[in-house]
Structures are given as structure tokens and as C-alpha cells.
Amino acid sequence: MPCEEPAAEGEVSEVAEMGEEKEDGQPEEQEERWARLLPELLSEVVRRVEASGGERWPARKDVVSCACVCRRWREAAVAVVRPPAVSGKITFPSSLKQPGPKEFPMQCFIKRNKKNSTFYLYLGLTTATVDKGKFLMAARRFRRGPHTEYIISLDADDLSQGSNAYMGKLRSDFWGTNFKVYDSKPPHDGAKASSSRSSRRFGSRRISPQVSAGNYEVGQLSYKYNLLKSRGPRRMYCALEFPSTQESWENSLKTKSRKPMGTKVLRNKAPRWHEHLQCWCLNFHGRVTVASVKNFQLAAATDPNDPSSSRDEGTVLLQFGKVDDDIFTMDYRQPLSAFQAFAISLSSFGTKLACE
């Protein structure tokens, strides 16, 4: 959630002195003038901004500007703006960890910079893969002993675990076949942060001190051994914790009443062998144009204890694929969030020593 920057130390005393000199309290009145609007009028203002054609960015920045006025405006904006699962829009940073729509995928793309091992996630503003898009998150790959970590941040220029913009990370083993996904915020009450040395955050400057910061494991990914080596497709297995659509949005800016989340298992869809083309093929519906071992589609695995899971077995919840040398599309839908989809997609980069 965007928030106002605190005043510098040298400015605090000056503001206090000005407040003391004004006996009628004019400075306070000026600050609270907008906050004193009637709740009905305030909600109507935000509702009209929301409905004023702000379907895409940059027009949608007006909604964020309303939320930055003060606390009451922020609460009104959250009450009016619907979560991504309902609106299909990503407005606030908290939206990045909310489930996407169910009926249609959120279309994004990833740009890779090989020189500094950095990956940038953008929301596609059009169906074309050449548009600039809206920047969402960035990640950088670091080698830490036998492990590889991808640090995910809201700030492309500050990719460190001690940053305010730190979102979480993806951590792999030496072979690059087993991964763990960590969230910077506790997913539910009672969640315990990872105690590993690399997961500790020193010198963290948190915007909200009420929310504990750390690394909380929220999922695991694995690539299975491929008997055909590089001639065959990769086999993926994911087990991730997913928040409730309604509960996650209501508590996106709160720190209490967070219930444990359910776990869902995802597997990659098996490609078919095309005799004429002599290659493995998947139908990406035009969103992937370059053949690559990194390309994949994930769908929900059938749960014997849940009869309704068989209906979602064929629905692609996440697809990732190459369209240029360093550009990849990433389309996701409920129950995945943008953060989870980005973490899974990052696992596809790099060599899998035991699989290729």
C-alpha cells in the first residue's frame, strides 16, 4: 500500500513549533480538512474515481492517489476497490499477493537481464507482447554457498532482504531441482519464520512495525528426473498454500484474524509428441512463440478426497513460455497470486543438473 513518507528529523521540530504558534490550530485543520468529509461523500468520490475509466494504467494511478491522502481515504479506497479475483485489476501492492480471477487469466510478461541476473515482471496492458506494461516486481539471482536464491522486491533498484520493498524469495538446492518459496509476511496466525541463517533479515526498515518481517515458507517446488534427458520435457510438481479469496482481501491491510491457508498441489500438463514437427507440443493459444525447455503449463492435481478437484484438472492455472530471447509471457489465474506465479516462473530459469 502506498504511504506518505515520514518527515526528516530536522523538520519535526519546525512543524511542532508552527503548531504551537498557531493558537487556533490551523495547521491541524489543514491536514484534517479532507479527512473530515462525510463518509458517504468520501465513498462516492472514490467510487467515481474508480469508475472513471481507470481500467488500465496510468489512469488507474488516480485510485492510488486517493488512497494516499490520509488514513480515512485509504480505508475508503480499500472498501470501494475490489480484489483482483473480482475486478481483474492490480491496483495496490497488496494485490500482488491476492488470488487472480477465476474466469480468465491475468496476462503478464517477464523481461530477463542476463548481465546482472535480474528479472522484471510487468502487467500486460494489451494482448501484444511488445507493449511496455506496468511494472509489478523484480527479482535477482544470488549464489549463496550451495544454494541459489531469487530475491523478489517491489523496487527494481533495491533488491535486498533488508528493504522495505522486500516481498519474499525463492531458494533452490545445489542441483536446481528442489525449491522453497518464502513470503516476507506471516501467512496466518502462529506462522513461524525460517530459522536458517540466510533467512534472517538484518537492518530491516519496516513501514508497518506491527507486522513481523521475516521469511515464512509458503510452498515447495520440485523438478522430477527426466529419463529422456534434454530430449524430453521437464516434469514439475508444486505444493503451495493458498489464501481464501474473501478473507485474503479483507485482511490484506490488517494483522489479525488470519486463519491457516489450504494447500493445493499443481502438476505440469504433459505435452504431446508431434510427428510432423518432431518435437513436444503444448497449446499456449498464441501466447508462446519460441520452443524452449522452460515452457510449461500447470494445472491442479486431482485430490481423491475432493470430488470437485477433478473439474479443475484440465484448467491451466499458470502458463509460462518464451516469445523472444529475453522475454517470457506469464499468465495466471485463481488460486494463484502474482507473487506465487512469479516465484514458480523464476524456478524455470537456470540449469537443472539432475534433469538435463
Side-chain angles (χ1 to χ4, degrees), residues 174-211:
F174 172 77
W175 302 102
T177 53
N178 295 298
F179 296 81
K180 290 185 178 181
V181 181
Y182 295 92
D183 196 330
S184 62
K185 302 292 177 62
H188 56 80
D189 290 343
K192 295 183 179 180
S194 172
S195 59
S196 62
R197 182 176 181 181
S198 63
S199 297
R200 298 172 189 168
R201 299 178 62 199
F202 299 99
S204 175
R205 298 171 286 106
R206 298 193 297 272
I207 295 177
S208 178
Q210 290 83 8
V211 180

PDB file of all heavy atoms in Angstrom, residues 174-211:
ATOM      1  N   PHE A 174      21.351 -27.379  -4.404  1.00  0.00           N
ATOM      2  CA  PHE A 174      22.540 -27.352  -5.260  1.00  0.00           C
ATOM      3  C   PHE A 174      22.221 -27.804  -6.682  1.00  0.00           C
ATOM      4  O   PHE A 174      22.757 -27.272  -7.656  1.00  0.00           O
ATOM      5  CB  PHE A 174      23.628 -28.238  -4.648  1.00  0.00           C
ATOM      6  CG  PHE A 174      24.816 -28.432  -5.546  1.00  0.00           C
ATOM      7  CD1 PHE A 174      25.769 -27.439  -5.690  1.00  0.00           C
ATOM      8  CD2 PHE A 174      24.980 -29.621  -6.266  1.00  0.00           C
ATOM      9  CE1 PHE A 174      26.856 -27.611  -6.528  1.00  0.00           C
ATOM     10  CE2 PHE A 174      26.065 -29.805  -7.104  1.00  0.00           C
ATOM     11  CZ  PHE A 174      27.019 -28.796  -7.232  1.00  0.00           C
ATOM     12  N   TRP A 175      21.325 -28.783  -6.828  1.00  0.00           N
ATOM     13  CA  TRP A 175      21.029 -29.346  -8.137  1.00  0.00           C
ATOM     14  C   TRP A 175      20.063 -28.482  -8.944  1.00  0.00           C
ATOM     15  O   TRP A 175      19.888 -28.708 -10.142  1.00  0.00           O
ATOM     16  CB  TRP A 175      20.446 -30.751  -7.985  1.00  0.00           C
ATOM     17  CG  TRP A 175      21.354 -31.684  -7.259  1.00  0.00           C
ATOM     18  CD1 TRP A 175      21.259 -32.085  -5.961  1.00  0.00           C
ATOM     19  CD2 TRP A 175      22.539 -32.315  -7.779  1.00  0.00           C
ATOM     20  NE1 TRP A 175      22.289 -32.929  -5.630  1.00  0.00           N
ATOM     21  CE2 TRP A 175      23.086 -33.091  -6.735  1.00  0.00           C
ATOM     22  CE3 TRP A 175      23.174 -32.297  -9.022  1.00  0.00           C
ATOM     23  CZ2 TRP A 175      24.249 -33.838  -6.900  1.00  0.00           C
ATOM     24  CZ3 TRP A 175      24.329 -33.048  -9.185  1.00  0.00           C
ATOM     25  CH2 TRP A 175      24.851 -33.798  -8.143  1.00  0.00           C
ATOM     26  N   GLY A 176      19.421 -27.524  -8.294  1.00  0.00           N
ATOM     27  CA  GLY A 176      18.473 -26.676  -9.003  1.00  0.00           C
ATOM     28  C   GLY A 176      17.179 -27.375  -9.344  1.00  0.00           C
ATOM     29  O   GLY A 176      16.484 -26.979 -10.287  1.00  0.00           O
ATOM     30  N   THR A 177      16.843 -28.415  -8.570  1.00  0.00           N
ATOM     31  CA  THR A 177      15.626 -29.181  -8.862  1.00  0.00           C
ATOM     32  C   THR A 177      14.572 -29.073  -7.759  1.00  0.00           C
ATOM     33  O   THR A 177      13.411 -29.376  -7.995  1.00  0.00           O
ATOM     34  CB  THR A 177      15.971 -30.672  -9.064  1.00  0.00           C
ATOM     35  OG1 THR A 177      16.713 -31.138  -7.928  1.00  0.00           O
ATOM     36  CG2 THR A 177      16.793 -30.854 -10.324  1.00  0.00           C
ATOM     37  N   ASN A 178      14.970 -28.660  -6.565  1.00  0.00           N
ATOM     38  CA  ASN A 178      14.034 -28.505  -5.459  1.00  0.00           C
ATOM     39  C   ASN A 178      14.084 -27.066  -4.951  1.00  0.00           C
ATOM     40  O   ASN A 178      15.172 -26.529  -4.685  1.00  0.00           O
ATOM     41  CB  ASN A 178      14.366 -29.472  -4.319  1.00  0.00           C
ATOM     42  CG  ASN A 178      14.180 -30.925  -4.727  1.00  0.00           C
ATOM     43  OD1 ASN A 178      13.081 -31.351  -5.057  1.00  0.00           O
ATOM     44  ND2 ASN A 178      15.266 -31.692  -4.713  1.00  0.00           N
ATOM     45  N   PHE A 179      12.910 -26.463  -4.798  1.00  0.00           N
ATOM     46  CA  PHE A 179      12.813 -25.060  -4.419  1.00  0.00           C
ATOM     47  C   PHE A 179      11.849 -24.897  -3.253  1.00  0.00           C
ATOM     48  O   PHE A 179      10.916 -25.686  -3.072  1.00  0.00           O
ATOM     49  CB  PHE A 179      12.301 -24.208  -5.588  1.00  0.00           C
ATOM     50  CG  PHE A 179      13.212 -24.166  -6.788  1.00  0.00           C
ATOM     51  CD1 PHE A 179      13.215 -25.216  -7.709  1.00  0.00           C
ATOM     52  CD2 PHE A 179      14.060 -23.095  -7.006  1.00  0.00           C
ATOM     53  CE1 PHE A 179      14.038 -25.172  -8.817  1.00  0.00           C
ATOM     54  CE2 PHE A 179      14.878 -23.046  -8.113  1.00  0.00           C
ATOM     55  CZ  PHE A 179      14.879 -24.090  -9.024  1.00  0.00           C
ATOM     56  N   LYS A 180      12.059 -23.825  -2.492  1.00  0.00           N
ATOM     57  CA  LYS A 180      11.139 -23.412  -1.449  1.00  0.00           C
ATOM     58  C   LYS A 180      10.785 -21.945  -1.669  1.00  0.00           C
ATOM     59  O   LYS A 180      11.654 -21.133  -1.983  1.00  0.00           O
ATOM     60  CB  LYS A 180      11.752 -23.614  -0.053  1.00  0.00           C
ATOM     61  CG  LYS A 180      11.907 -25.070   0.345  1.00  0.00           C
ATOM     62  CD  LYS A 180      12.409 -25.209   1.775  1.00  0.00           C
ATOM     63  CE  LYS A 180      12.507 -26.678   2.177  1.00  0.00           C
ATOM     64  NZ  LYS A 180      12.984 -26.827   3.581  1.00  0.00           N
ATOM     65  N   VAL A 181       9.502 -21.632  -1.495  1.00  0.00           N
ATOM     66  CA  VAL A 181       9.012 -20.270  -1.651  1.00  0.00           C
ATOM     67  C   VAL A 181       8.799 -19.670  -0.274  1.00  0.00           C
ATOM     68  O   VAL A 181       8.149 -20.280   0.586  1.00  0.00           O
ATOM     69  CB  VAL A 181       7.689 -20.233  -2.450  1.00  0.00           C
ATOM     70  CG1 VAL A 181       7.217 -18.791  -2.631  1.00  0.00           C
ATOM     71  CG2 VAL A 181       7.863 -20.908  -3.799  1.00  0.00           C
ATOM     72  N   TYR A 182       9.349 -18.476  -0.045  1.00  0.00           N
ATOM     73  CA  TYR A 182       9.221 -17.788   1.230  1.00  0.00           C
ATOM     74  C   TYR A 182       8.504 -16.456   1.041  1.00  0.00           C
ATOM     75  O   TYR A 182       8.788 -15.716   0.094  1.00  0.00           O
ATOM     76  CB  TYR A 182      10.603 -17.530   1.854  1.00  0.00           C
ATOM     77  CG  TYR A 182      11.357 -18.789   2.238  1.00  0.00           C
ATOM     78  CD1 TYR A 182      12.240 -19.396   1.339  1.00  0.00           C
ATOM     79  CD2 TYR A 182      11.195 -19.365   3.491  1.00  0.00           C
ATOM     80  CE1 TYR A 182      12.935 -20.536   1.686  1.00  0.00           C
ATOM     81  CE2 TYR A 182      11.897 -20.505   3.852  1.00  0.00           C
ATOM     82  CZ  TYR A 182      12.764 -21.091   2.937  1.00  0.00           C
ATOM     83  OH  TYR A 182      13.458 -22.230   3.286  1.00  0.00           O
ATOM     84  N   ASP A 183       7.586 -16.169   1.961  1.00  0.00           N
ATOM     85  CA  ASP A 183       6.884 -14.894   1.977  1.00  0.00           C
ATOM     86  C   ASP A 183       7.502 -14.020   3.058  1.00  0.00           C
ATOM     87  O   ASP A 183       7.905 -14.520   4.116  1.00  0.00           O
ATOM     88  CB  ASP A 183       5.396 -15.120   2.265  1.00  0.00           C
ATOM     89  CG  ASP A 183       4.539 -13.908   1.921  1.00  0.00           C
ATOM     90  OD1 ASP A 183       5.047 -12.777   2.011  1.00  0.00           O
ATOM     91  OD2 ASP A 183       3.359 -14.095   1.569  1.00  0.00           O
ATOM     92  N   SER A 184       7.546 -12.703   2.832  1.00  0.00           N
ATOM     93  CA  SER A 184       8.129 -11.799   3.824  1.00  0.00           C
ATOM     94  C   SER A 184       7.204 -11.558   5.000  1.00  0.00           C
ATOM     95  O   SER A 184       7.644 -11.091   6.048  1.00  0.00           O
ATOM     96  CB  SER A 184       8.472 -10.454   3.171  1.00  0.00           C
ATOM     97  OG  SER A 184       7.292  -9.832   2.671  1.00  0.00           O
ATOM     98  N   LYS A 185       5.908 -11.853   4.840  1.00  0.00           N
ATOM     99  CA  LYS A 185       4.926 -11.627   5.898  1.00  0.00           C
ATOM    100  C   LYS A 185       4.332 -12.961   6.335  1.00  0.00           C
ATOM    101  O   LYS A 185       4.202 -13.895   5.538  1.00  0.00           O
ATOM    102  CB  LYS A 185       3.809 -10.703   5.396  1.00  0.00           C
ATOM    103  CG  LYS A 185       4.299  -9.358   4.904  1.00  0.00           C
ATOM    104  CD  LYS A 185       4.848  -8.521   6.041  1.00  0.00           C
ATOM    105  CE  LYS A 185       5.418  -7.206   5.550  1.00  0.00           C
ATOM    106  NZ  LYS A 185       4.397  -6.350   4.912  1.00  0.00           N
ATOM    107  N   PRO A 186       3.942 -13.076   7.595  1.00  0.00           N
ATOM    108  CA  PRO A 186       3.344 -14.336   8.070  1.00  0.00           C
ATOM    109  C   PRO A 186       2.035 -14.610   7.343  1.00  0.00           C
ATOM    110  O   PRO A 186       1.157 -13.739   7.296  1.00  0.00           O
ATOM    111  CB  PRO A 186       3.125 -14.098   9.565  1.00  0.00           C
ATOM    112  CG  PRO A 186       3.104 -12.605   9.715  1.00  0.00           C
ATOM    113  CD  PRO A 186       4.027 -12.077   8.675  1.00  0.00           C
ATOM    114  N   PRO A 187       1.855 -15.779   6.775  1.00  0.00           N
ATOM    115  CA  PRO A 187       0.630 -16.090   6.034  1.00  0.00           C
ATOM    116  C   PRO A 187      -0.595 -16.263   6.919  1.00  0.00           C
ATOM    117  O   PRO A 187      -1.719 -16.125   6.451  1.00  0.00           O
ATOM    118  CB  PRO A 187       0.981 -17.386   5.307  1.00  0.00           C
ATOM    119  CG  PRO A 187       2.027 -18.026   6.168  1.00  0.00           C
ATOM    120  CD  PRO A 187       2.813 -16.901   6.755  1.00  0.00           C
ATOM    121  N   HIS A 188      -0.388 -16.588   8.196  1.00  0.00           N
ATOM    122  CA  HIS A 188      -1.503 -16.777   9.117  1.00  0.00           C
ATOM    123  C   HIS A 188      -0.990 -16.666  10.544  1.00  0.00           C
ATOM    124  O   HIS A 188       0.227 -16.634  10.796  1.00  0.00           O
ATOM    125  CB  HIS A 188      -2.176 -18.142   8.896  1.00  0.00           C
ATOM    126  CG  HIS A 188      -1.231 -19.300   9.005  1.00  0.00           C
ATOM    127  ND1 HIS A 188      -0.830 -19.828  10.210  1.00  0.00           N
ATOM    128  CD2 HIS A 188      -0.581 -20.016   8.038  1.00  0.00           C
ATOM    129  CE1 HIS A 188       0.008 -20.827  10.004  1.00  0.00           C
ATOM    130  NE2 HIS A 188       0.184 -20.964   8.689  1.00  0.00           N
ATOM    131  N   ASP A 189      -1.912 -16.588  11.484  1.00  0.00           N
ATOM    132  CA  ASP A 189      -1.539 -16.514  12.894  1.00  0.00           C
ATOM    133  C   ASP A 189      -0.779 -17.767  13.315  1.00  0.00           C
ATOM    134  O   ASP A 189      -1.158 -18.885  12.964  1.00  0.00           O
ATOM    135  CB  ASP A 189      -2.787 -16.372  13.774  1.00  0.00           C
ATOM    136  CG  ASP A 189      -3.446 -15.015  13.609  1.00  0.00           C
ATOM    137  OD1 ASP A 189      -2.770 -14.109  13.095  1.00  0.00           O
ATOM    138  OD2 ASP A 189      -4.619 -14.878  13.994  1.00  0.00           O
ATOM    139  N   GLY A 190       0.294 -17.564  14.057  1.00  0.00           N
ATOM    140  CA  GLY A 190       1.070 -18.687  14.554  1.00  0.00           C
ATOM    141  C   GLY A 190       2.146 -19.173  13.604  1.00  0.00           C
ATOM    142  O   GLY A 190       2.893 -20.092  13.944  1.00  0.00           O
ATOM    143  N   ALA A 191       2.234 -18.572  12.407  1.00  0.00           N
ATOM    144  CA  ALA A 191       3.265 -18.986  11.455  1.00  0.00           C
ATOM    145  C   ALA A 191       4.648 -18.636  12.001  1.00  0.00           C
ATOM    146  O   ALA A 191       4.850 -17.570  12.590  1.00  0.00           O
ATOM    147  CB  ALA A 191       3.042 -18.316  10.106  1.00  0.00           C
ATOM    148  N   LYS A 192       5.583 -19.538  11.823  1.00  0.00           N
ATOM    149  CA  LYS A 192       6.932 -19.336  12.324  1.00  0.00           C
ATOM    150  C   LYS A 192       7.885 -19.060  11.172  1.00  0.00           C
ATOM    151  O   LYS A 192       7.853 -19.731  10.147  1.00  0.00           O
ATOM    152  CB  LYS A 192       7.400 -20.574  13.099  1.00  0.00           C
ATOM    153  CG  LYS A 192       6.592 -20.842  14.364  1.00  0.00           C
ATOM    154  CD  LYS A 192       7.146 -22.038  15.121  1.00  0.00           C
ATOM    155  CE  LYS A 192       6.346 -22.286  16.390  1.00  0.00           C
ATOM    156  NZ  LYS A 192       6.874 -23.454  17.148  1.00  0.00           N
ATOM    157  N   ALA A 193       8.727 -18.060  11.368  1.00  0.00           N
ATOM    158  CA  ALA A 193       9.700 -17.696  10.344  1.00  0.00           C
ATOM    159  C   ALA A 193      10.801 -18.734  10.266  1.00  0.00           C
ATOM    160  O   ALA A 193      11.101 -19.429  11.243  1.00  0.00           O
ATOM    161  CB  ALA A 193      10.293 -16.324  10.639  1.00  0.00           C
ATOM    162  N   SER A 194      11.403 -18.845   9.093  1.00  0.00           N
ATOM    163  CA  SER A 194      12.512 -19.773   8.905  1.00  0.00           C
ATOM    164  C   SER A 194      13.671 -19.375   9.796  1.00  0.00           C
ATOM    165  O   SER A 194      13.988 -18.190   9.950  1.00  0.00           O
ATOM    166  CB  SER A 194      12.942 -19.777   7.434  1.00  0.00           C
ATOM    167  OG  SER A 194      14.119 -20.533   7.258  1.00  0.00           O
ATOM    168  N   SER A 195      14.319 -20.370  10.382  1.00  0.00           N
ATOM    169  CA  SER A 195      15.427 -20.099  11.300  1.00  0.00           C
ATOM    170  C   SER A 195      16.781 -20.233  10.632  1.00  0.00           C
ATOM    171  O   SER A 195      17.807 -20.114  11.288  1.00  0.00           O
ATOM    172  CB  SER A 195      15.363 -21.061  12.494  1.00  0.00           C
ATOM    173  OG  SER A 195      15.429 -22.417  12.044  1.00  0.00           O
ATOM    174  N   SER A 196      16.794 -20.480   9.316  1.00  0.00           N
ATOM    175  CA  SER A 196      18.080 -20.636   8.632  1.00  0.00           C
ATOM    176  C   SER A 196      18.822 -19.306   8.618  1.00  0.00           C
ATOM    177  O   SER A 196      18.232 -18.232   8.608  1.00  0.00           O
ATOM    178  CB  SER A 196      17.868 -21.124   7.194  1.00  0.00           C
ATOM    179  OG  SER A 196      17.132 -20.194   6.448  1.00  0.00           O
ATOM    180  N   ARG A 197      20.124 -19.381   8.577  1.00  0.00           N
ATOM    181  CA  ARG A 197      20.952 -18.181   8.668  1.00  0.00           C
ATOM    182  C   ARG A 197      20.702 -17.236   7.510  1.00  0.00           C
ATOM    183  O   ARG A 197      20.658 -16.020   7.668  1.00  0.00           O
ATOM    184  CB  ARG A 197      22.436 -18.591   8.700  1.00  0.00           C
ATOM    185  CG  ARG A 197      23.378 -17.403   8.849  1.00  0.00           C
ATOM    186  CD  ARG A 197      24.820 -17.877   8.965  1.00  0.00           C
ATOM    187  NE  ARG A 197      25.737 -16.759   9.125  1.00  0.00           N
ATOM    188  CZ  ARG A 197      27.049 -16.900   9.226  1.00  0.00           C
ATOM    189  NH1 ARG A 197      27.595 -18.106   9.223  1.00  0.00           N
ATOM    190  NH2 ARG A 197      27.808 -15.831   9.358  1.00  0.00           N
ATOM    191  N   SER A 198      20.509 -17.783   6.303  1.00  0.00           N
ATOM    192  CA  SER A 198      20.311 -16.940   5.123  1.00  0.00           C
ATOM    193  C   SER A 198      18.959 -16.274   5.121  1.00  0.00           C
ATOM    194  O   SER A 198      18.702 -15.384   4.329  1.00  0.00           O
ATOM    195  CB  SER A 198      20.478 -17.772   3.846  1.00  0.00           C
ATOM    196  OG  SER A 198      19.497 -18.784   3.789  1.00  0.00           O
ATOM    197  N   SER A 199      18.056 -16.725   6.009  1.00  0.00           N
ATOM    198  CA  SER A 199      16.703 -16.176   6.036  1.00  0.00           C
ATOM    199  C   SER A 199      16.553 -15.026   7.021  1.00  0.00           C
ATOM    200  O   SER A 199      15.513 -14.401   7.087  1.00  0.00           O
ATOM    201  CB  SER A 199      15.695 -17.277   6.395  1.00  0.00           C
ATOM    202  OG  SER A 199      15.700 -18.285   5.411  1.00  0.00           O
ATOM    203  N   ARG A 200      17.583 -14.750   7.802  1.00  0.00           N
ATOM    204  CA  ARG A 200      17.485 -13.669   8.773  1.00  0.00           C
ATOM    205  C   ARG A 200      17.684 -12.334   8.075  1.00  0.00           C
ATOM    206  O   ARG A 200      18.513 -12.184   7.187  1.00  0.00           O
ATOM    207  CB  ARG A 200      18.539 -13.845   9.868  1.00  0.00           C
ATOM    208  CG  ARG A 200      18.364 -15.133  10.653  1.00  0.00           C
ATOM    209  CD  ARG A 200      19.533 -15.365  11.589  1.00  0.00           C
ATOM    210  NE  ARG A 200      19.470 -16.689  12.189  1.00  0.00           N
ATOM    211  CZ  ARG A 200      20.466 -17.246  12.850  1.00  0.00           C
ATOM    212  NH1 ARG A 200      21.601 -16.600  13.003  1.00  0.00           N
ATOM    213  NH2 ARG A 200      20.331 -18.454  13.347  1.00  0.00           N
ATOM    214  N   ARG A 201      16.911 -11.364   8.506  1.00  0.00           N
ATOM    215  CA  ARG A 201      16.969 -10.044   7.888  1.00  0.00           C
ATOM    216  C   ARG A 201      17.548  -9.046   8.889  1.00  0.00           C
ATOM    217  O   ARG A 201      16.958  -8.753   9.913  1.00  0.00           O
ATOM    218  CB  ARG A 201      15.571  -9.612   7.450  1.00  0.00           C
ATOM    219  CG  ARG A 201      14.952 -10.524   6.448  1.00  0.00           C
ATOM    220  CD  ARG A 201      13.559 -10.060   6.109  1.00  0.00           C
ATOM    221  NE  ARG A 201      13.595  -8.738   5.521  1.00  0.00           N
ATOM    222  CZ  ARG A 201      12.538  -7.946   5.460  1.00  0.00           C
ATOM    223  NH1 ARG A 201      11.399  -8.326   5.956  1.00  0.00           N
ATOM    224  NH2 ARG A 201      12.634  -6.745   4.920  1.00  0.00           N
ATOM    225  N   PHE A 202      18.716  -8.536   8.559  1.00  0.00           N
ATOM    226  CA  PHE A 202      19.366  -7.588   9.435  1.00  0.00           C
ATOM    227  C   PHE A 202      19.149  -6.173   8.905  1.00  0.00           C
ATOM    228  O   PHE A 202      19.145  -5.942   7.700  1.00  0.00           O
ATOM    229  CB  PHE A 202      20.872  -7.869   9.525  1.00  0.00           C
ATOM    230  CG  PHE A 202      21.181  -9.226  10.088  1.00  0.00           C
ATOM    231  CD1 PHE A 202      21.482 -10.298   9.258  1.00  0.00           C
ATOM    232  CD2 PHE A 202      21.156  -9.438  11.455  1.00  0.00           C
ATOM    233  CE1 PHE A 202      21.766 -11.547   9.770  1.00  0.00           C
ATOM    234  CE2 PHE A 202      21.440 -10.697  11.972  1.00  0.00           C
ATOM    235  CZ  PHE A 202      21.752 -11.740  11.134  1.00  0.00           C
ATOM    236  N   GLY A 203      18.991  -5.222   9.815  1.00  0.00           N
ATOM    237  CA  GLY A 203      18.839  -3.828   9.415  1.00  0.00           C
ATOM    238  C   GLY A 203      17.573  -3.576   8.628  1.00  0.00           C
ATOM    239  O   GLY A 203      17.527  -2.696   7.798  1.00  0.00           O
ATOM    240  N   SER A 204      16.521  -4.318   8.903  1.00  0.00           N
ATOM    241  CA  SER A 204      15.275  -4.137   8.176  1.00  0.00           C
ATOM    242  C   SER A 204      14.570  -2.864   8.620  1.00  0.00           C
ATOM    243  O   SER A 204      14.428  -2.605   9.801  1.00  0.00           O
ATOM    244  CB  SER A 204      14.360  -5.350   8.412  1.00  0.00           C
ATOM    245  OG  SER A 204      13.111  -5.153   7.820  1.00  0.00           O
ATOM    246  N   ARG A 205      14.123  -2.060   7.650  1.00  0.00           N
ATOM    247  CA  ARG A 205      13.385  -0.838   7.935  1.00  0.00           C
ATOM    248  C   ARG A 205      11.954  -1.071   7.493  1.00  0.00           C
ATOM    249  O   ARG A 205      11.622  -0.935   6.327  1.00  0.00           O
ATOM    250  CB  ARG A 205      14.002   0.345   7.193  1.00  0.00           C
ATOM    251  CG  ARG A 205      15.433   0.630   7.625  1.00  0.00           C
ATOM    252  CD  ARG A 205      16.087   1.658   6.714  1.00  0.00           C
ATOM    253  NE  ARG A 205      16.433   1.075   5.430  1.00  0.00           N
ATOM    254  CZ  ARG A 205      15.782   1.316   4.312  1.00  0.00           C
ATOM    255  NH1 ARG A 205      14.731   2.091   4.301  1.00  0.00           N
ATOM    256  NH2 ARG A 205      16.170   0.762   3.168  1.00  0.00           N
ATOM    257  N   ARG A 206      11.078  -1.382   8.435  1.00  0.00           N
ATOM    258  CA  ARG A 206       9.721  -1.776   8.081  1.00  0.00           C
ATOM    259  C   ARG A 206       8.794  -0.576   8.119  1.00  0.00           C
ATOM    260  O   ARG A 206       8.869   0.275   9.004  1.00  0.00           O
ATOM    261  CB  ARG A 206       9.207  -2.861   9.036  1.00  0.00           C
ATOM    262  CG  ARG A 206      10.012  -4.141   8.992  1.00  0.00           C
ATOM    263  CD  ARG A 206       9.250  -5.248   9.700  1.00  0.00           C
ATOM    264  NE  ARG A 206       9.047  -4.978  11.105  1.00  0.00           N
ATOM    265  CZ  ARG A 206       9.910  -5.300  12.052  1.00  0.00           C
ATOM    266  NH1 ARG A 206      11.046  -5.876  11.738  1.00  0.00           N
ATOM    267  NH2 ARG A 206       9.637  -5.038  13.317  1.00  0.00           N
ATOM    268  N   ILE A 207       7.894  -0.500   7.165  1.00  0.00           N
ATOM    269  CA  ILE A 207       6.876   0.544   7.142  1.00  0.00           C
ATOM    270  C   ILE A 207       5.871   0.304   8.262  1.00  0.00           C
ATOM    271  O   ILE A 207       5.449   1.212   8.944  1.00  0.00           O
ATOM    272  CB  ILE A 207       6.158   0.563   5.779  1.00  0.00           C
ATOM    273  CG1 ILE A 207       7.151   0.969   4.680  1.00  0.00           C
ATOM    274  CG2 ILE A 207       4.984   1.512   5.792  1.00  0.00           C
ATOM    275  CD1 ILE A 207       6.556   0.937   3.300  1.00  0.00           C
ATOM    276  N   SER A 208       5.461  -0.939   8.445  1.00  0.00           N
ATOM    277  CA  SER A 208       4.469  -1.284   9.460  1.00  0.00           C
ATOM    278  C   SER A 208       5.118  -2.160  10.517  1.00  0.00           C
ATOM    279  O   SER A 208       5.261  -3.367  10.323  1.00  0.00           O
ATOM    280  CB  SER A 208       3.278  -2.019   8.818  1.00  0.00           C
ATOM    281  OG  SER A 208       2.346  -2.394   9.800  1.00  0.00           O
ATOM    282  N   PRO A 209       5.540  -1.599  11.661  1.00  0.00           N
ATOM    283  CA  PRO A 209       6.213  -2.401  12.692  1.00  0.00           C
ATOM    284  C   PRO A 209       5.292  -3.414  13.345  1.00  0.00           C
ATOM    285  O   PRO A 209       5.757  -4.316  14.015  1.00  0.00           O
ATOM    286  CB  PRO A 209       6.681  -1.340  13.701  1.00  0.00           C
ATOM    287  CG  PRO A 209       5.755  -0.181  13.500  1.00  0.00           C
ATOM    288  CD  PRO A 209       5.414  -0.191  12.036  1.00  0.00           C
ATOM    289  N   GLN A 210       3.942  -3.266  13.162  1.00  0.00           N
ATOM    290  CA  GLN A 210       3.035  -4.233  13.766  1.00  0.00           C
ATOM    291  C   GLN A 210       3.109  -5.584  13.066  1.00  0.00           C
ATOM    292  O   GLN A 210       2.739  -6.602  13.628  1.00  0.00           O
ATOM    293  CB  GLN A 210       1.588  -3.714  13.698  1.00  0.00           C
ATOM    294  CG  GLN A 210       1.313  -2.526  14.615  1.00  0.00           C
ATOM    295  CD  GLN A 210       1.728  -1.222  13.979  1.00  0.00           C
ATOM    296  OE1 GLN A 210       2.079  -1.193  12.802  1.00  0.00           O
ATOM    297  NE2 GLN A 210       1.698  -0.143  14.746  1.00  0.00           N
ATOM    298  N   VAL A 211       3.552  -5.585  11.808  1.00  0.00           N
ATOM    299  CA  VAL A 211       3.637  -6.827  11.055  1.00  0.00           C
ATOM    300  C   VAL A 211       5.067  -7.334  11.104  1.00  0.00           C
ATOM    301  O   VAL A 211       5.986  -6.662  10.644  1.00  0.00           O
ATOM    302  CB  VAL A 211       3.211  -6.618   9.581  1.00  0.00           C
ATOM    303  CG1 VAL A 211       3.311  -7.923   8.810  1.00  0.00           C
ATOM    304  CG2 VAL A 211       1.798  -6.056   9.518  1.00  0.00           C
TER     305      VAL A 211
END
